[in-house]
Amino acid sequence: ASAAGRGRPASLSRGRPAAAWRGPCSMAAVRGDAIAHPPKRAEVVIVGAGIVGASTAFHLARDHGIRSLVLESNEPAGAASGKAGGFLARDWTEGSPKHELVRASFGLFPALAAELGDDVQFRMVDTRSVVADTRRAGPAGLAAGTASGKRAVPWLDGRQFGAESMGSASDGDTAQVHPGLLTLALLRRARELAGTTVLRASAESFEFCDGVRKAAATAPGARADAAPHAVRAVVARGTFQEATLDPSRFRPVEGLADREAASPWSEIPGSNPGEKAATRSARIEAGFVVICAGPWSASLAPLLAAPGTASPPAFGVSGAKAHSVVLLPAPGSPREALLSAPCALFLDYVADDASAAESPEVYPRPDGSVYVCGAANDDPLPGHAGEVAPAPGAAARLHGAVGTLSSSLRGASLQLAQACFLPLSDDGEPAVGPVQGLANAAVGTAHGCWGILMAPATGRWLAAAAAGADANATVVDLTALSPARFGAATRRPVRSVDTRSAAHSGEAPPAKSRA
């Protein structure tokens, strides 16, 4: 960011009750030399630079003129936010407590994509459910295409039948976006608007202070039921390098030998090129703290128990592992067919060996690549996002599964083979709201497979809460999604879950018409 971009904006405190944060919890702007020296104070500290943290930082900067400090121990968009498919559905969660959040968030995408000024690959798409027949000897007379001989999607040339429409671009009810590009674009825009800084560090512990209830009660608009404790400071540990927010790692390349793994973090000033940065701890005073570390948010809950409280807060989140690959068809007619007829696909297979069949989701992207996900397993959540690795054979199974249905994908080059842990709650609903017992902390996690879809409105809600506004009244009422419903913190198991989007959420998407 430029020096001008790092300056404290005149409207930094707009939207915050000034009297509520005086005294020992007061704070000042992050210093511009945050790379060389970890900041001593931050208006808002966000833990996690995934899609929810990025959306929160963006809305703090744009809507409230607040400069935030984002702590990320792995890399921005380095977990599920960079490895998700980015499928968006407006109406598939109808009847669930999260539906109003989904509707509010879906409606933000068109303007958000235009406002960011970057190519985040947002577009409306048709969506179909297709049953593929991979048996060696199928029913007599069943030719390539549907049972009627008509292909549901032009670039699917394998044996298929039973195609159903699940959404359409013309109706505007299903869409897609590139999650990694969107996450980085949100963080870059927050940096441009308010000097937001993303540093390589993790939250190691928290310090607390008393008396917030009395101070908040004197501020106009403050909650009368403010908690008796607040976070005074975050003790962070890391190298405190600043994120480059370079989107090149999400761009497909024709030859994998040409792909260079550029570091997502800047060099420490005064260090030699390639020199490993030293790790250290720093105490950062915080006006407000937002926790959005995906399934790793659960490990932070015990650290947020203020002195004298009976038990730590609970966020109700665990992790479920899913795999994905990114394929790049060869230039020419196969890729042109994918680009000319974009369609999100949910596949089911009729196979000789049911145990070997996958039910992947397939999302062709505007850049010519194709994202394929599925292959869930019960691997335990590791201690750090950087330790997540694909299970042996998972990428080959996904590539092989889609290759049986499309010759374009069968010969495509494998760009990425990856895995991530989806943050899930026991009741299938997100956890978004205040941290129990603390007046100046909130959490946003457990969005499951709909994390990208719900991120814009979730970030807007968390930003409003951090700015001192009544987020339930001004953004969307998320009372039913408060983490308070989980009570005291307990050790939560890793859940096994079907990786299909509809199955993740617990609701069946409507089948609108027979293709």
Side-chain angles (χ1 to χ4, degrees):
S2 64
R6 292 182 179 277
R8 180 185 177 96
S11 57
L12 180 64
S13 297
R14 180 161 58 88
R16 176 180 295 285
W21 307 107
R22 292 175 182 163
C25 289
S26 65
M27 39 99 26
V30 177
R31 292 181 55 84
D33 56 353
I35 302 176
H37 303 286
K40 295 182 179 180
R41 299 175 179 85
E43 180 78 3
V44 178
V45 174
I46 299 171
V47 181
I51 186 68
V52 175
S55 177
T56 303
F58 167 78
H59 285 99
L60 279 168
R62 189 197 66 176
D63 300 345
H64 307 283
I66 293 177
R67 180 184 194 179
S68 59
L69 170 65
V70 184
L71 302 179
E72 171 58 52
S73 62
N74 182 32
E75 61 180 325
S81 297
K83 299 172 183 176
F87 176 73
L88 314 172
R90 185 186 63 197
D91 303 321
W92 288 18
T93 60
E94 191 169 0
S96 74
K98 61 177 167 283
H99 187 56
E100 290 306 311
L101 175 61
V102 166
R103 295 275 298 193
S105 206
F106 186 90
L108 294 176
F109 274 95
L112 189 61
E115 180 181 351
L116 289 173
D118 290 303
D119 179 17
V120 296
Q121 299 187 15
F122 171 78
R123 63 180 176 180
M124 297 293 174
V125 294
D126 294 333
T127 304
R128 290 180 181 271
S129 173
V130 175
V131 178
D133 186 358
T134 62
R135 292 173 292 183
R136 287 181 289 274
L142 183 62
T146 64
S148 63
K150 180 182 178 182
R151 292 180 183 175
V153 179
W155 46 270
L156 294 181
D157 50 13
R159 296 155 62 93
Q160 55 185 287
F161 59 91
E164 293 182 347
S165 174
M166 304 170 74
S168 69
S170 59
D171 290 343
D173 54 3
T174 54
Q176 70 177 148
V177 71
H178 193 299
L181 294 178
L182 175 61
T183 300
L184 297 186
L186 288 167
L187 290 170
R188 286 196 302 272
R189 187 59 176 152
R191 184 172 62 186
E192 294 167 1
L193 290 171
T196 296
T197 308
V198 183
L199 298 183
R200 188 178 191 179
S202 60
E204 194 173 50
S205 63
F206 298 89
E207 296 178 7
F208 304 92
C209 57
D210 298 320
V212 175
R213 178 193 294 272
K214 182 176 180 180
T218 64
R223 298 202 325 265
D225 60 343
H229 300 285
V231 176
R232 181 201 302 270
V234 179
V235 178
R237 184 169 182 80
T239 62
F240 297 96
Q241 296 161 273
E242 187 168 5
T244 62
L245 305 181
D246 180 1
S248 61
R249 63 187 167 102
F250 293 118
R251 309 289 188 191
V253 296
E254 296 295 345
L256 290 183
D258 298 330
R259 183 186 293 276
E260 295 184 3
S263 173
W265 304 104
S266 61
E267 296 289 340
I268 294 289
S271 65
N272 298 320
E275 180 181 345
K276 187 176 180 180
T279 300
R280 51 186 165 167
S281 295
R283 179 183 181 277
I284 305 167
E285 289 190 19
F288 199 96
V289 174
V290 179
I291 304 297
C292 39
W296 290 276
S297 299
S299 64
L300 295 173
L303 305 180
L304 287 164
T309 56
S311 59
F315 299 156
V317 62
S318 59
K321 190 175 185 179
H323 294 79
S324 60
V325 296
V326 178
L327 307 175
L328 186 64
S333 57
R335 190 184 299 180
E336 291 303 317
L338 287 162
L339 291 172
S340 63
C343 182
L345 295 181
F346 290 74
L347 302 180
D348 278 317
Y349 285 81
V350 178
D352 288 318
D353 181 4
S355 64
E358 300 286 348
S359 295
E361 302 170 18
V362 183
Y363 308 133
R365 286 173 166 167
D367 59 12
S369 65
V370 179
Y371 175 94
V372 183
C373 66
N377 66 21
D378 291 331
D379 287 353
L381 181 72
H384 188 271
E387 299 171 358
V388 178
R397 291 198 307 273
L398 283 174
H399 196 172
V402 296
T404 61
L405 193 57
S406 171
S407 59
S408 298
L409 300 182
R410 189 180 311 128
S413 67
L414 178 64
Q415 293 278 299
L416 294 170
Q418 53 196 11
C420 65
F421 278 81
L422 301 173
L424 299 168
S425 67
D426 286 346
D427 61 9
E429 303 297 332
V432 184
V435 175
Q436 304 99 296
L438 298 175
N440 65 335
V443 62
T445 187
H447 292 82
C449 69
W450 296 118
I452 308 304
L453 170 60
M454 290 186 276
T458 297
R460 193 174 183 183
W461 192 99
L462 291 168
D470 184 346
N472 284 330
T474 60
V475 181
V476 59
D477 190 348
L478 301 185
T479 304
L481 303 181
S482 171
R485 71 186 189 273
F486 296 112
T490 57
R491 185 175 179 85
R492 314 195 69 80
V494 175
R495 299 178 56 211
S496 173
V497 66
D498 184 350
T499 57
R500 295 177 62 90
S501 290
H504 281 173
S505 59
E507 303 91 18
K512 293 190 173 181
S513 63
R514 177 71 62 177

